[in-house]
Amino acid sequence: QNSQPIPADNRCCMISMADEDLQALTNFIEDELSDQRYYQAFARQAPGWARRTLMDFAATEGGHAKRLMAVYFLITGICYTPSVSCEKIWIGPWCNALRERYHMETCGGQNYIQAAQSTNDPCLTKVLMELSEEEYGHAAVILEMLQRLV
């Protein structure tokens, strides 16, 4: 594909980002991909009633990563290449794994809020706030799963 640079005066969103903010964006991408792999492994080891939900979570986390990679491209004009992980994922006891995931999802939601508050880009703020809401939504479903078990 041969794309022409867009003049800066014709863009109002997703224009540029400081190196440390760009690193934070790539960290979000990698975290989402890691979460996707974790939920795929979690679903394989989960009770039958929870498998579909956990696979849906895996798909959502992968979608988050793709959305953030699109944001990365809009800002830099470069396609982000994620790192490849071959690590073995250990889930451990079911309730403890749900507890860990609950905290990971709420922390992820909070991290997206903090990133949204630290940018002046209204389009990026909107994307980050939407991702935050989805992370908190996962936490709420995990809480419901725990309620079923305790």
Side-chain angles (χ1 to χ4, degrees), residues 63-82:
H64 290 174
K66 286 182 178 255
R67 191 164 187 200
L68 291 166
M69 285 189 273
V71 166
Y72 184 92
F73 180 79
L74 286 171
I75 293 168
T76 66
I78 300 167
C79 289
Y80 178 76
T81 303

PDB file of all heavy atoms in Angstrom, residues 63-82:
ATOM      1  N   GLY A  63      -9.797  -8.366  20.867  1.00  0.00           N
ATOM      2  CA  GLY A  63     -10.363  -7.196  20.188  1.00  0.00           C
ATOM      3  C   GLY A  63      -9.801  -5.896  20.727  1.00  0.00           C
ATOM      4  O   GLY A  63      -9.557  -4.948  19.976  1.00  0.00           O
ATOM      5  N   HIS A  64      -9.590  -5.849  22.052  1.00  0.00           N
ATOM      6  CA  HIS A  64      -8.964  -4.659  22.652  1.00  0.00           C
ATOM      7  C   HIS A  64      -7.577  -4.443  22.047  1.00  0.00           C
ATOM      8  O   HIS A  64      -7.215  -3.314  21.707  1.00  0.00           O
ATOM      9  CB  HIS A  64      -8.831  -4.825  24.163  1.00  0.00           C
ATOM     10  CG  HIS A  64     -10.113  -4.791  24.910  1.00  0.00           C
ATOM     11  ND1 HIS A  64     -10.178  -5.048  26.253  1.00  0.00           N
ATOM     12  CD2 HIS A  64     -11.392  -4.552  24.528  1.00  0.00           C
ATOM     13  CE1 HIS A  64     -11.427  -4.964  26.665  1.00  0.00           C
ATOM     14  NE2 HIS A  64     -12.186  -4.667  25.630  1.00  0.00           N
ATOM     15  N   ALA A  65      -6.811  -5.525  21.942  1.00  0.00           N
ATOM     16  CA  ALA A  65      -5.453  -5.416  21.388  1.00  0.00           C
ATOM     17  C   ALA A  65      -5.503  -4.911  19.952  1.00  0.00           C
ATOM     18  O   ALA A  65      -4.732  -4.012  19.576  1.00  0.00           O
ATOM     19  CB  ALA A  65      -4.742  -6.761  21.463  1.00  0.00           C
ATOM     20  N   LYS A  66      -6.415  -5.447  19.149  1.00  0.00           N
ATOM     21  CA  LYS A  66      -6.521  -5.010  17.752  1.00  0.00           C
ATOM     22  C   LYS A  66      -6.929  -3.534  17.665  1.00  0.00           C
ATOM     23  O   LYS A  66      -6.430  -2.790  16.818  1.00  0.00           O
ATOM     24  CB  LYS A  66      -7.518  -5.880  16.987  1.00  0.00           C
ATOM     25  CG  LYS A  66      -6.977  -7.246  16.668  1.00  0.00           C
ATOM     26  CD  LYS A  66      -7.989  -8.060  15.875  1.00  0.00           C
ATOM     27  CE  LYS A  66      -7.419  -9.391  15.529  1.00  0.00           C
ATOM     28  NZ  LYS A  66      -7.028  -9.489  14.145  1.00  0.00           N
ATOM     29  N   ARG A  67      -7.833  -3.133  18.541  1.00  0.00           N
ATOM     30  CA  ARG A  67      -8.259  -1.727  18.557  1.00  0.00           C
ATOM     31  C   ARG A  67      -7.084  -0.816  18.903  1.00  0.00           C
ATOM     32  O   ARG A  67      -6.867   0.209  18.274  1.00  0.00           O
ATOM     33  CB  ARG A  67      -9.387  -1.555  19.557  1.00  0.00           C
ATOM     34  CG  ARG A  67     -10.063  -0.229  19.467  1.00  0.00           C
ATOM     35  CD  ARG A  67     -11.371  -0.279  20.193  1.00  0.00           C
ATOM     36  NE  ARG A  67     -12.087   0.943  19.960  1.00  0.00           N
ATOM     37  CZ  ARG A  67     -13.047   1.371  20.724  1.00  0.00           C
ATOM     38  NH1 ARG A  67     -13.428   0.649  21.766  1.00  0.00           N
ATOM     39  NH2 ARG A  67     -13.657   2.495  20.468  1.00  0.00           N
ATOM     40  N   LEU A  68      -6.297  -1.224  19.904  1.00  0.00           N
ATOM     41  CA  LEU A  68      -5.139  -0.433  20.301  1.00  0.00           C
ATOM     42  C   LEU A  68      -4.060  -0.441  19.221  1.00  0.00           C
ATOM     43  O   LEU A  68      -3.366   0.568  19.026  1.00  0.00           O
ATOM     44  CB  LEU A  68      -4.585  -0.936  21.630  1.00  0.00           C
ATOM     45  CG  LEU A  68      -5.490  -0.673  22.839  1.00  0.00           C
ATOM     46  CD1 LEU A  68      -5.028  -1.489  24.041  1.00  0.00           C
ATOM     47  CD2 LEU A  68      -5.546   0.815  23.167  1.00  0.00           C
ATOM     48  N   MET A  69      -3.935  -1.549  18.480  1.00  0.00           N
ATOM     49  CA  MET A  69      -2.982  -1.576  17.368  1.00  0.00           C
ATOM     50  C   MET A  69      -3.427  -0.629  16.256  1.00  0.00           C
ATOM     51  O   MET A  69      -2.595   0.013  15.603  1.00  0.00           O
ATOM     52  CB  MET A  69      -2.793  -2.996  16.852  1.00  0.00           C
ATOM     53  CG  MET A  69      -1.945  -3.837  17.781  1.00  0.00           C
ATOM     54  SD  MET A  69      -1.475  -5.447  17.099  1.00  0.00           S
ATOM     55  CE  MET A  69      -2.881  -6.439  17.566  1.00  0.00           C
ATOM     56  N   ALA A  70      -4.736  -0.500  16.056  1.00  0.00           N
ATOM     57  CA  ALA A  70      -5.250   0.458  15.073  1.00  0.00           C
ATOM     58  C   ALA A  70      -4.953   1.881  15.533  1.00  0.00           C
ATOM     59  O   ALA A  70      -4.559   2.741  14.722  1.00  0.00           O
ATOM     60  CB  ALA A  70      -6.751   0.255  14.867  1.00  0.00           C
ATOM     61  N   VAL A  71      -5.109   2.148  16.830  1.00  0.00           N
ATOM     62  CA  VAL A  71      -4.769   3.464  17.386  1.00  0.00           C
ATOM     63  C   VAL A  71      -3.284   3.740  17.177  1.00  0.00           C
ATOM     64  O   VAL A  71      -2.897   4.834  16.749  1.00  0.00           O
ATOM     65  CB  VAL A  71      -5.139   3.530  18.891  1.00  0.00           C
ATOM     66  CG1 VAL A  71      -4.500   4.727  19.561  1.00  0.00           C
ATOM     67  CG2 VAL A  71      -6.651   3.543  19.068  1.00  0.00           C
ATOM     68  N   TYR A  72      -2.451   2.747  17.449  1.00  0.00           N
ATOM     69  CA  TYR A  72      -1.002   2.880  17.258  1.00  0.00           C
ATOM     70  C   TYR A  72      -0.700   3.272  15.811  1.00  0.00           C
ATOM     71  O   TYR A  72       0.103   4.166  15.546  1.00  0.00           O
ATOM     72  CB  TYR A  72      -0.315   1.566  17.627  1.00  0.00           C
ATOM     73  CG  TYR A  72       1.186   1.606  17.556  1.00  0.00           C
ATOM     74  CD1 TYR A  72       1.940   1.934  18.675  1.00  0.00           C
ATOM     75  CD2 TYR A  72       1.862   1.301  16.372  1.00  0.00           C
ATOM     76  CE1 TYR A  72       3.328   1.969  18.619  1.00  0.00           C
ATOM     77  CE2 TYR A  72       3.242   1.338  16.307  1.00  0.00           C
ATOM     78  CZ  TYR A  72       3.973   1.670  17.436  1.00  0.00           C
ATOM     79  OH  TYR A  72       5.346   1.712  17.372  1.00  0.00           O
ATOM     80  N   PHE A  73      -1.366   2.610  14.867  1.00  0.00           N
ATOM     81  CA  PHE A  73      -1.154   2.929  13.454  1.00  0.00           C
ATOM     82  C   PHE A  73      -1.620   4.352  13.136  1.00  0.00           C
ATOM     83  O   PHE A  73      -0.935   5.090  12.415  1.00  0.00           O
ATOM     84  CB  PHE A  73      -1.867   1.931  12.538  1.00  0.00           C
ATOM     85  CG  PHE A  73      -1.658   2.256  11.092  1.00  0.00           C
ATOM     86  CD1 PHE A  73      -0.472   1.914  10.459  1.00  0.00           C
ATOM     87  CD2 PHE A  73      -2.625   2.937  10.380  1.00  0.00           C
ATOM     88  CE1 PHE A  73      -0.259   2.251   9.134  1.00  0.00           C
ATOM     89  CE2 PHE A  73      -2.420   3.272   9.045  1.00  0.00           C
ATOM     90  CZ  PHE A  73      -1.230   2.925   8.415  1.00  0.00           C
ATOM     91  N   LEU A  74      -2.776   4.745  13.659  1.00  0.00           N
ATOM     92  CA  LEU A  74      -3.264   6.103  13.396  1.00  0.00           C
ATOM     93  C   LEU A  74      -2.274   7.156  13.889  1.00  0.00           C
ATOM     94  O   LEU A  74      -2.081   8.183  13.245  1.00  0.00           O
ATOM     95  CB  LEU A  74      -4.622   6.317  14.069  1.00  0.00           C
ATOM     96  CG  LEU A  74      -5.805   5.620  13.416  1.00  0.00           C
ATOM     97  CD1 LEU A  74      -7.034   5.723  14.311  1.00  0.00           C
ATOM     98  CD2 LEU A  74      -6.084   6.203  12.038  1.00  0.00           C
ATOM     99  N   ILE A  75      -1.648   6.892  15.023  1.00  0.00           N
ATOM    100  CA  ILE A  75      -0.725   7.858  15.606  1.00  0.00           C
ATOM    101  C   ILE A  75       0.634   7.851  14.903  1.00  0.00           C
ATOM    102  O   ILE A  75       1.190   8.900  14.601  1.00  0.00           O
ATOM    103  CB  ILE A  75      -0.556   7.599  17.121  1.00  0.00           C
ATOM    104  CG1 ILE A  75      -1.882   7.902  17.832  1.00  0.00           C
ATOM    105  CG2 ILE A  75       0.573   8.433  17.713  1.00  0.00           C
ATOM    106  CD1 ILE A  75      -1.952   7.426  19.265  1.00  0.00           C
ATOM    107  N   THR A  76       1.145   6.649  14.626  1.00  0.00           N
ATOM    108  CA  THR A  76       2.523   6.547  14.114  1.00  0.00           C
ATOM    109  C   THR A  76       2.619   6.322  12.610  1.00  0.00           C
ATOM    110  O   THR A  76       3.661   6.593  12.018  1.00  0.00           O
ATOM    111  CB  THR A  76       3.264   5.374  14.793  1.00  0.00           C
ATOM    112  OG1 THR A  76       2.636   4.142  14.402  1.00  0.00           O
ATOM    113  CG2 THR A  76       3.265   5.516  16.309  1.00  0.00           C
ATOM    114  N   GLY A  77       1.574   5.758  12.011  1.00  0.00           N
ATOM    115  CA  GLY A  77       1.651   5.376  10.603  1.00  0.00           C
ATOM    116  C   GLY A  77       2.397   4.062  10.409  1.00  0.00           C
ATOM    117  O   GLY A  77       2.694   3.665   9.289  1.00  0.00           O
ATOM    118  N   ILE A  78       2.686   3.368  11.507  1.00  0.00           N
ATOM    119  CA  ILE A  78       3.418   2.102  11.486  1.00  0.00           C
ATOM    120  C   ILE A  78       2.538   1.015  12.099  1.00  0.00           C
ATOM    121  O   ILE A  78       1.921   1.228  13.143  1.00  0.00           O
ATOM    122  CB  ILE A  78       4.735   2.220  12.305  1.00  0.00           C
ATOM    123  CG1 ILE A  78       5.626   3.311  11.718  1.00  0.00           C
ATOM    124  CG2 ILE A  78       5.456   0.886  12.376  1.00  0.00           C
ATOM    125  CD1 ILE A  78       6.770   3.710  12.631  1.00  0.00           C
ATOM    126  N   CYS A  79       2.516  -0.151  11.469  1.00  0.00           N
ATOM    127  CA  CYS A  79       1.783  -1.285  12.035  1.00  0.00           C
ATOM    128  C   CYS A  79       2.590  -1.853  13.193  1.00  0.00           C
ATOM    129  O   CYS A  79       3.768  -2.166  13.034  1.00  0.00           O
ATOM    130  CB  CYS A  79       1.554  -2.374  10.983  1.00  0.00           C
ATOM    131  SG  CYS A  79       0.362  -1.891   9.730  1.00  0.00           S
ATOM    132  N   TYR A  80       1.955  -1.991  14.348  1.00  0.00           N
ATOM    133  CA  TYR A  80       2.626  -2.539  15.520  1.00  0.00           C
ATOM    134  C   TYR A  80       2.723  -4.048  15.388  1.00  0.00           C
ATOM    135  O   TYR A  80       1.744  -4.715  15.043  1.00  0.00           O
ATOM    136  CB  TYR A  80       1.864  -2.172  16.800  1.00  0.00           C
ATOM    137  CG  TYR A  80       2.495  -2.746  18.042  1.00  0.00           C
ATOM    138  CD1 TYR A  80       3.647  -2.168  18.557  1.00  0.00           C
ATOM    139  CD2 TYR A  80       1.974  -3.863  18.655  1.00  0.00           C
ATOM    140  CE1 TYR A  80       4.260  -2.699  19.689  1.00  0.00           C
ATOM    141  CE2 TYR A  80       2.569  -4.399  19.790  1.00  0.00           C
ATOM    142  CZ  TYR A  80       3.710  -3.816  20.301  1.00  0.00           C
ATOM    143  OH  TYR A  80       4.319  -4.343  21.410  1.00  0.00           O
ATOM    144  N   THR A  81       3.886  -4.592  15.664  1.00  0.00           N
ATOM    145  CA  THR A  81       4.080  -6.033  15.656  1.00  0.00           C
ATOM    146  C   THR A  81       4.213  -6.500  17.097  1.00  0.00           C
ATOM    147  O   THR A  81       5.205  -6.173  17.761  1.00  0.00           O
ATOM    148  CB  THR A  81       5.356  -6.411  14.868  1.00  0.00           C
ATOM    149  OG1 THR A  81       5.249  -5.882  13.551  1.00  0.00           O
ATOM    150  CG2 THR A  81       5.526  -7.917  14.812  1.00  0.00           C
ATOM    151  N   PRO A  82       3.225  -7.225  17.594  1.00  0.00           N
ATOM    152  CA  PRO A  82       3.293  -7.678  18.989  1.00  0.00           C
ATOM    153  C   PRO A  82       4.387  -8.719  19.184  1.00  0.00           C
ATOM    154  O   PRO A  82       4.776  -9.406  18.244  1.00  0.00           O
ATOM    155  CB  PRO A  82       1.915  -8.281  19.249  1.00  0.00           C
ATOM    156  CG  PRO A  82       1.255  -8.427  17.941  1.00  0.00           C
ATOM    157  CD  PRO A  82       1.995  -7.617  16.927  1.00  0.00           C
TER     158      PRO A  82
END
